[in-house]
Structures are given as structure tokens and as C-alpha cells.
Amino acid sequence: MTLALGCIADDYTGASDLANTLTKAGLRTVQTIGVPADDLALPEVDAVVVSLKSRSIPAGEAVARSREAAAWLNARGAGHLLFKVCSTFDSTDAGNIGPVTDALREDAGEAIALVTPAFPETARTVYLGHLFVGMVPLAESPLKDHPLNPMRDSNLVRVLARQSRAGVGLIDLATVAQGAEAVGARLDALAREGKGAAIADAVLDRDLAVLGAAALTRKVSTGASGLGLGLARALVAAGRVAPAAATADLGPAIGGPAACLAGSCSQATLGQIARAEAAMPVRRLDPARLLAGEDEAGAALAWALERIGDGPVLIASSAGPEDVAAVQARYGRDAAGHAIEAAMARIAEGLVAHGVRRLVVAGGETSGAVVDRLGLPAFRVGPEIAAGVPVLRTTDRDMWLALKSGNFGGPDFFADALRLMP
Ligand SMILES: Nc1ncnc2c1ncn2[C@@H]1O[C@H](COP(=O)(O)OP(=O)(O)O)[C@@H](O)[C@H]1O
Ligand SMILES: O=C(O)[C@H](O)C(=O)COP(=O)(O)O
């Protein structure tokens, strides 16, 4: 296998989002969970997205895991490495976007890396280095209240510089509008100034095509699915990939019981849970009871098993910013987050043990905990449920999954997803 594009994603929903984007752009793509074992049977593909649960772990660990993934991808001839991060640049001043980008760039012998989270399809745009989510700057969006990495600075040049060893520059929209060569010249100029990374503006899809073409002239870049789209289009335009049909047949219907798990506390997910209450039984975990040692997971699983024979159910820990803050103040941010993720993983394991083969999970860290507990090695990419969220089919057993990025999906996402999981 010789890969046109190797991708390292810092969370599982982001990996799924990117795999969806690459597939739609005509790249035969597979999403793996972690660095694949050498004997893992993979189909002939143009791109592999290695999913890591590395967004919120210590930077040194994130760098080490990302380097392992890079080595696996390079050993399979990856023509370019994309470090996939969140379109809302989810990170803290401790990293991990800066440290991982620095490491991958240095290992590749590159002086500078192009960085952009822009993804106009999901209303993530960058102008003069400032990230906008819809009509508002990042720091005024719901992401300012993210449970693990509240985003309170919209200026990504500043944000990345605080977590990077090398300096960070800007490729402004006026330069992007002049085309890929102008972007490349700007990258070279910034590198001569000693910068190791450059935040690139992008407001429209056509800006992504320019950035993808410019990024492809180097070995490493960092971005969200928008940059993935630009890279894919550049690979096809350069004749390095023959575009494939986006909706490959993913096999026969699986059927059987279905369940939804929500750990995301995003505004979008909270709304989707509210809408789901009209379509299916919903049980809300009590984080206080869970963190006090009560068997919330066991009780929720028993509740679900009584009902999944009649139709899908949804179990959610999700709560609004004030409630999340209260739980974190009492039990600690990381302790609360990890305990709730572990509870979701245990519930998922119990559901699958009792025949659930169609599972929808909302939240990046939540998805990571669930997929790791189920021991799933890889996914093939199916039809798109909503922008950034495809149906996935496991490669080692018969299961459908959807791993929903917290902020993605329409109001009826849970019902929409299950309809595409026959
Ligand atoms: N009610 C709650 N209180 C505190 N933390 C919560 C609650 N529900 C979920 N969490 C935690 O919040 C984090 C959500 O992150 P994630 O699953 O990545 O969602 P998103 O995709 O929206 O970022 C997880 O660590 C999860 O365990
Ligand atoms: O928003 C994106 O780019 C990705 O879909 C992503 O990284 C989502 O992360 P989340 O933690 O699931 O919001």
C-alpha cells in the first residue's frame, strides 16, 4: 500500500469527520483506531486517518503517540502528513496542537508548517488569524464554555504561539487570494524569520483549494477537515489520486437493537438530546451520584436493556455550562471528565454484549472512551449523516457506528443517524 495522504487525528470524532471529507472528495479512505498493528488487514486506500485520543492528554504523550502514527504512515509511503485538529482549535496553552505540530514538522525536516482550522462548510472561518464560529468570534461562541478546553482567545496566532516552541506567523486572506505560489512564498518568508508555523486565513472553499495546493508542496501540515478537503482536491488535480465513487457499498443491513450515548456538553448536542426525547426514551446520568460512587452506569444499562427491544434509547450525561462547572468545582475537571467517559464506555460495552449493533456516540472524548472499550480496530466510511459526520462500519465485526463531533449535526441528528444504519 502506498498512501497519497496520511492523517493523524487528535480525537475520534475529528478523525471520522476528516475521513468523511476525504471520502466525499474521492479519496478511498479508512479510519483506524490508534496506530494499526502491522498485521491489520486494510483495503487498498488512498488515505488512512489514524485516530488518537490525544487532544486532552499531556503534551509529551501526545507527541510520542503522534510520532508513532507518523512512522506507521511514512512506512506506507504517505506523500503528506496532515495533523487533524478541531475546527474550533480545541486546545489549552499546554498544547497539544503546538507541540505535535513542532515535532512532526521537525521530524520531516521542514522549516515551517501551514496551520488552519477553517472549515467553511461548518461555518468555521479564519480572517486575519481570528477564528469565527458562525457569525461570532471563537471566544464569544459556546466553545468558550467547553468542559475540557474553554476557548477564550479568538486570535489563533496568539493561541498557537503560547503552546509552540517556534514562532507563529500569519498568511492573510489577501495573500491566499493570490494563489498557492504566493502562499508558498509567504511561508518561506516567515520561515526565514524563524517562524515554525503559520496560521492561514480561509473564508470560502476556494481558499481551501489554494491552501491545500500550497500545503502539498511540503511534507506536513496541521488543520481541520477544511484543509483535508483542500489537500484531497490538490491530490486529485495533480493526478496523484484517481477519484473514487464516494458511496462505496458498505455491505448488507445489520439490524438489531440500537442505542445512543451522549457525553458532549455542546450547545448543539444539548439541543439534539432535547429533540430526541420526542423520538425515543432518554435517560440522563447524574454526575454527582456517579462521582459519589453510586452505580449510575449499571442503573442506566439496566434501564436501557429493558427498553432496547422496543426501539432505540439515548443515555446522556450532557449538561449546560453552569451544571458542568458545578460538577467540576466539586470533583475536578479531569476527574469528572474521565469518570463520566469511563461510565459511558462501560454502558456501551454492556449494550454491545446484549446485542446492540447500531451505536451513535456524541462527543470526541466520549467516542474515544467508547470505541477503545469496545476494542474496535478500524472503520470503513459510509454515507454522510450531517456535515462532518458519516456512518461508519466496523472492519472486524458487523456494527454500524456514528461518532458525532460535539458541535456537529442537525436538530434531529440521533434519529437521522439511526435511519442511515439499517
Ligand atoms: N454533566 C457533565 N459534567 C461534567 N463533565 C461532563 C458532563 N458530561 C460530560 N462531561 C465530560 O465533558 C467532556 C466532553 O468532551 P467530548 O466528549 O469531547 O465532547 P465534545 O465533542 O463536545 O468536545 C468529556 O470529558 C465528558 O466526560
Ligand atoms: O470540529 C472538528 O473539526 C472535528 O469534528 C472535531 O475535532 C470535533 O471534536 P469534538 O471534541 O467532537 O467536538
Short mmCIF file of all heavy atoms in Angstrom, two decimals, residues 11 13 55 90 146-148 262-266 269 287 317-319 323-324 327-328 333 336-341 362-367 404-407, ligand 1:
data_model
loop_
_atom_site.label_atom_id
_atom_site.label_comp_id
_atom_site.label_asym_id
_atom_site.label_seq_id
_atom_site.Cartn_x
_atom_site.Cartn_y
_atom_site.Cartn_z
N ASP A 11 -8.61 13.31 17.90
CA ASP A 11 -9.74 12.65 18.57
C ASP A 11 -10.54 11.88 17.54
O ASP A 11 -10.38 12.06 16.33
CB ASP A 11 -10.55 13.61 19.43
CG ASP A 11 -11.67 14.34 18.70
OD1 ASP A 11 -11.69 14.36 17.46
OD2 ASP A 11 -12.54 14.90 19.39
N THR A 13 -13.86 11.57 16.81
CA THR A 13 -14.91 12.21 16.01
C THR A 13 -14.28 13.09 14.94
O THR A 13 -14.74 13.15 13.81
CB THR A 13 -15.82 13.07 16.91
OG1 THR A 13 -14.98 13.89 17.74
CG2 THR A 13 -16.73 12.22 17.76
N ARG A 55 -6.02 14.61 22.27
CA ARG A 55 -6.27 16.06 22.33
C ARG A 55 -6.08 16.61 23.76
O ARG A 55 -5.60 17.72 23.93
CB ARG A 55 -7.70 16.35 21.86
CG ARG A 55 -8.06 17.80 21.83
CD ARG A 55 -9.41 18.02 21.19
NE ARG A 55 -9.37 17.68 19.77
CZ ARG A 55 -10.46 17.73 18.99
NH1 ARG A 55 -11.64 18.05 19.49
NH2 ARG A 55 -10.37 17.43 17.70
N ASP A 90 -9.62 23.26 19.46
CA ASP A 90 -9.69 22.82 20.86
C ASP A 90 -8.31 22.47 21.38
O ASP A 90 -7.67 21.52 20.92
CB ASP A 90 -10.60 21.59 20.97
CG ASP A 90 -12.05 21.93 20.73
OD1 ASP A 90 -12.32 23.01 20.17
OD2 ASP A 90 -12.91 21.12 21.10
N HIS A 146 -16.35 25.17 26.83
CA HIS A 146 -16.06 23.75 26.65
C HIS A 146 -15.57 23.15 27.96
O HIS A 146 -14.74 23.76 28.65
CB HIS A 146 -15.01 23.53 25.55
CG HIS A 146 -14.86 22.09 25.18
ND1 HIS A 146 -14.16 21.19 25.95
CD2 HIS A 146 -15.33 21.39 24.13
CE1 HIS A 146 -14.22 20.00 25.39
NE2 HIS A 146 -14.91 20.09 24.28
N PRO A 147 -16.05 21.96 28.34
CA PRO A 147 -15.69 21.39 29.65
C PRO A 147 -14.19 21.16 29.83
O PRO A 147 -13.66 21.32 30.91
CB PRO A 147 -16.44 20.06 29.68
CG PRO A 147 -17.53 20.19 28.70
CD PRO A 147 -17.04 21.13 27.64
N LEU A 148 -13.49 20.83 28.76
CA LEU A 148 -12.08 20.46 28.91
C LEU A 148 -11.13 21.55 28.44
O LEU A 148 -10.04 21.71 28.98
CB LEU A 148 -11.80 19.17 28.14
CG LEU A 148 -12.62 17.94 28.52
CD1 LEU A 148 -12.23 16.75 27.68
CD2 LEU A 148 -12.49 17.64 30.01
N ALA A 262 -24.56 10.12 24.75
CA ALA A 262 -24.12 11.50 24.59
C ALA A 262 -23.33 11.95 25.81
O ALA A 262 -23.85 11.97 26.93
CB ALA A 262 -25.32 12.41 24.38
N GLY A 263 -22.07 12.30 25.57
CA GLY A 263 -21.22 12.85 26.62
C GLY A 263 -20.86 14.29 26.31
O GLY A 263 -20.34 15.02 27.15
N SER A 264 -21.10 14.70 25.08
CA SER A 264 -20.81 16.07 24.68
C SER A 264 -21.75 17.03 25.41
O SER A 264 -22.93 16.74 25.58
CB SER A 264 -21.01 16.24 23.17
OG SER A 264 -21.00 17.62 22.83
N CYS A 265 -21.19 18.15 25.85
CA CYS A 265 -21.99 19.19 26.50
C CYS A 265 -22.13 20.41 25.60
O CYS A 265 -22.44 21.51 26.06
CB CYS A 265 -21.36 19.60 27.83
SG CYS A 265 -21.24 18.24 29.01
N SER A 266 -21.92 20.20 24.32
CA SER A 266 -22.01 21.32 23.38
C SER A 266 -23.46 21.77 23.26
O SER A 266 -24.40 20.99 23.51
CB SER A 266 -21.49 20.90 22.01
OG SER A 266 -22.41 20.00 21.40
N THR A 269 -25.37 19.53 20.87
CA THR A 269 -25.76 18.23 21.41
C THR A 269 -26.90 18.36 22.42
O THR A 269 -27.84 17.56 22.43
CB THR A 269 -24.55 17.54 22.06
OG1 THR A 269 -23.52 17.35 21.08
CG2 THR A 269 -24.93 16.19 22.66
N PRO A 287 -24.22 13.02 37.27
CA PRO A 287 -22.77 13.00 37.51
C PRO A 287 -22.41 13.00 38.99
O PRO A 287 -21.45 12.36 39.40
CB PRO A 287 -22.28 14.27 36.83
CG PRO A 287 -23.34 14.61 35.85
CD PRO A 287 -24.63 14.16 36.46
N SER A 317 -25.06 12.18 29.57
CA SER A 317 -24.50 12.83 30.77
C SER A 317 -24.51 14.34 30.56
O SER A 317 -24.26 15.10 31.49
CB SER A 317 -23.07 12.36 31.01
OG SER A 317 -22.25 12.87 29.96
N SER A 318 -24.76 14.75 29.35
CA SER A 318 -24.62 16.13 28.91
C SER A 318 -25.38 17.11 29.79
O SER A 318 -26.48 16.81 30.26
CB SER A 318 -25.11 16.26 27.47
OG SER A 318 -24.59 15.20 26.69
N ALA A 319 -24.77 18.27 30.01
CA ALA A 319 -25.42 19.30 30.83
C ALA A 319 -24.93 20.67 30.38
O ALA A 319 -23.94 20.79 29.64
CB ALA A 319 -25.08 19.08 32.31
N ASP A 323 -24.08 23.73 35.18
CA ASP A 323 -24.08 22.42 35.85
C ASP A 323 -22.71 21.75 35.71
O ASP A 323 -22.20 21.13 36.65
CB ASP A 323 -25.18 21.53 35.27
CG ASP A 323 -26.57 22.05 35.60
OD1 ASP A 323 -26.70 22.79 36.60
OD2 ASP A 323 -27.53 21.75 34.85
N VAL A 324 -22.14 21.85 34.51
CA VAL A 324 -20.80 21.26 34.30
C VAL A 324 -19.80 21.92 35.25
O VAL A 324 -19.01 21.24 35.92
CB VAL A 324 -20.36 21.44 32.84
CG1 VAL A 324 -18.88 21.12 32.68
CG2 VAL A 324 -21.20 20.57 31.91
N VAL A 327 -20.13 20.59 38.82
CA VAL A 327 -19.55 19.25 38.97
C VAL A 327 -18.03 19.33 38.99
O VAL A 327 -17.35 18.71 39.83
CB VAL A 327 -20.03 18.32 37.82
CG1 VAL A 327 -19.20 17.05 37.74
CG2 VAL A 327 -21.51 17.99 37.98
N GLN A 328 -17.47 20.14 38.09
CA GLN A 328 -16.01 20.26 38.02
C GLN A 328 -15.45 20.92 39.27
O GLN A 328 -14.39 20.52 39.77
CB GLN A 328 -15.62 21.05 36.77
CG GLN A 328 -15.95 20.31 35.46
CD GLN A 328 -15.51 21.07 34.22
OE1 GLN A 328 -15.41 22.30 34.22
NE2 GLN A 328 -15.25 20.34 33.15
N ARG A 333 -12.01 18.97 37.14
CA ARG A 333 -12.37 18.87 35.72
C ARG A 333 -11.98 17.52 35.16
O ARG A 333 -12.81 16.80 34.58
CB ARG A 333 -11.64 19.98 34.94
CG ARG A 333 -11.99 20.01 33.46
CD ARG A 333 -10.97 20.78 32.65
NE ARG A 333 -9.70 20.03 32.55
CZ ARG A 333 -8.65 20.45 31.84
NH1 ARG A 333 -8.72 21.63 31.20
NH2 ARG A 333 -7.56 19.74 31.76
N ALA A 336 -13.77 14.43 36.82
CA ALA A 336 -15.17 14.33 36.38
C ALA A 336 -15.24 13.83 34.93
O ALA A 336 -15.99 12.90 34.62
CB ALA A 336 -15.86 15.69 36.51
N GLY A 337 -14.43 14.43 34.09
CA GLY A 337 -14.46 14.04 32.68
C GLY A 337 -14.13 12.58 32.49
O GLY A 337 -14.86 11.85 31.80
N HIS A 338 -13.05 12.15 33.12
CA HIS A 338 -12.63 10.75 32.94
C HIS A 338 -13.64 9.78 33.52
O HIS A 338 -13.94 8.74 32.92
CB HIS A 338 -11.26 10.53 33.58
CG HIS A 338 -10.16 11.31 32.92
ND1 HIS A 338 -9.01 11.68 33.58
CD2 HIS A 338 -10.05 11.82 31.67
CE1 HIS A 338 -8.23 12.38 32.75
NE2 HIS A 338 -8.84 12.47 31.58
N ALA A 339 -14.21 10.12 34.67
CA ALA A 339 -15.19 9.21 35.29
C ALA A 339 -16.43 9.06 34.42
O ALA A 339 -16.95 7.95 34.24
CB ALA A 339 -15.57 9.74 36.68
N ILE A 340 -16.88 10.15 33.85
CA ILE A 340 -18.08 10.09 33.01
C ILE A 340 -17.77 9.36 31.70
O ILE A 340 -18.57 8.54 31.22
CB ILE A 340 -18.62 11.51 32.76
CG1 ILE A 340 -19.14 12.09 34.08
CG2 ILE A 340 -19.71 11.52 31.69
CD1 ILE A 340 -19.43 13.58 34.04
N GLU A 341 -16.59 9.62 31.12
CA GLU A 341 -16.21 8.87 29.92
C GLU A 341 -16.17 7.37 30.21
O GLU A 341 -16.65 6.55 29.42
CB GLU A 341 -14.83 9.34 29.43
CG GLU A 341 -14.81 10.75 28.84
CD GLU A 341 -13.39 11.25 28.66
OE1 GLU A 341 -12.50 10.43 28.38
OE2 GLU A 341 -13.16 12.45 28.80
N ALA A 362 -22.09 10.78 20.86
CA ALA A 362 -21.90 12.22 20.70
C ALA A 362 -20.79 12.70 21.62
O ALA A 362 -20.91 12.57 22.84
CB ALA A 362 -23.18 12.97 21.01
N GLY A 363 -19.72 13.21 21.02
CA GLY A 363 -18.59 13.74 21.78
C GLY A 363 -17.30 13.05 21.39
O GLY A 363 -17.26 11.82 21.24
N GLY A 364 -16.25 13.89 21.25
CA GLY A 364 -14.98 13.34 20.82
C GLY A 364 -14.32 12.46 21.87
O GLY A 364 -13.96 11.30 21.62
N GLU A 365 -14.14 13.02 23.08
CA GLU A 365 -13.54 12.22 24.16
C GLU A 365 -14.45 11.05 24.52
O GLU A 365 -13.98 9.94 24.80
CB GLU A 365 -13.30 13.10 25.38
CG GLU A 365 -12.38 14.29 25.15
CD GLU A 365 -10.94 13.88 24.78
OE1 GLU A 365 -10.52 12.77 25.18
OE2 GLU A 365 -10.26 14.65 24.10
N THR A 366 -15.73 11.29 24.51
CA THR A 366 -16.68 10.21 24.81
C THR A 366 -16.56 9.09 23.80
O THR A 366 -16.50 7.91 24.16
CB THR A 366 -18.11 10.78 24.83
OG1 THR A 366 -18.17 11.88 25.75
CG2 THR A 366 -19.13 9.72 25.22
N SER A 367 -16.49 9.45 22.53
CA SER A 367 -16.32 8.44 21.47
C SER A 367 -15.03 7.66 21.66
O SER A 367 -14.99 6.44 21.46
CB SER A 367 -16.32 9.10 20.09
OG SER A 367 -17.58 9.67 19.81
N LYS A 404 -20.23 11.40 16.60
CA LYS A 404 -20.61 12.78 16.30
C LYS A 404 -19.74 13.79 17.04
O LYS A 404 -19.69 13.81 18.27
CB LYS A 404 -22.08 13.02 16.65
CG LYS A 404 -22.60 14.38 16.24
CD LYS A 404 -23.96 14.72 16.88
CE LYS A 404 -23.76 15.29 18.25
NZ LYS A 404 -23.39 16.74 18.19
N SER A 405 -19.09 14.66 16.25
CA SER A 405 -18.40 15.79 16.87
C SER A 405 -19.41 16.60 17.64
O SER A 405 -20.52 16.85 17.16
CB SER A 405 -17.77 16.66 15.78
OG SER A 405 -16.88 15.90 15.02
N GLY A 406 -19.02 17.06 18.81
CA GLY A 406 -19.98 17.71 19.68
C GLY A 406 -20.79 18.80 19.01
O GLY A 406 -22.01 18.88 19.19
N ASN A 407 -20.13 19.59 18.19
CA ASN A 407 -20.81 20.77 17.64
C ASN A 407 -21.53 20.48 16.33
O ASN A 407 -22.15 21.39 15.77
CB ASN A 407 -19.78 21.88 17.41
CG ASN A 407 -19.05 22.24 18.69
OD1 ASN A 407 -19.66 22.73 19.63
ND2 ASN A 407 -17.77 21.94 18.76
N1 LIG B 1 -22.52 16.64 33.16
C1 LIG B 1 -21.17 16.73 32.98
N2 LIG B 1 -20.39 17.41 33.87
C2 LIG B 1 -19.05 17.49 33.69
N3 LIG B 1 -18.38 16.94 32.65
C3 LIG B 1 -19.13 16.26 31.74
C4 LIG B 1 -20.53 16.11 31.87
N4 LIG B 1 -20.97 15.35 30.81
C5 LIG B 1 -19.88 15.06 30.08
N5 LIG B 1 -18.77 15.59 30.64
C6 LIG B 1 -17.39 15.48 30.14
O1 LIG B 1 -17.19 16.56 29.21
C7 LIG B 1 -16.29 16.13 28.18
C8 LIG B 1 -16.98 16.27 26.83
O2 LIG B 1 -15.98 16.13 25.85
P1 LIG B 1 -16.31 15.44 24.43
O3 LIG B 1 -16.89 14.07 24.65
O4 LIG B 1 -15.08 15.53 23.62
O5 LIG B 1 -17.45 16.34 23.82
P2 LIG B 1 -17.25 17.45 22.63
O6 LIG B 1 -17.21 16.65 21.36
O7 LIG B 1 -18.46 18.29 22.73
O8 LIG B 1 -15.97 18.18 22.88
C9 LIG B 1 -15.96 14.67 28.48
O9 LIG B 1 -14.76 14.55 29.23
C10 LIG B 1 -17.15 14.24 29.34
O10 LIG B 1 -16.84 13.15 30.18
#
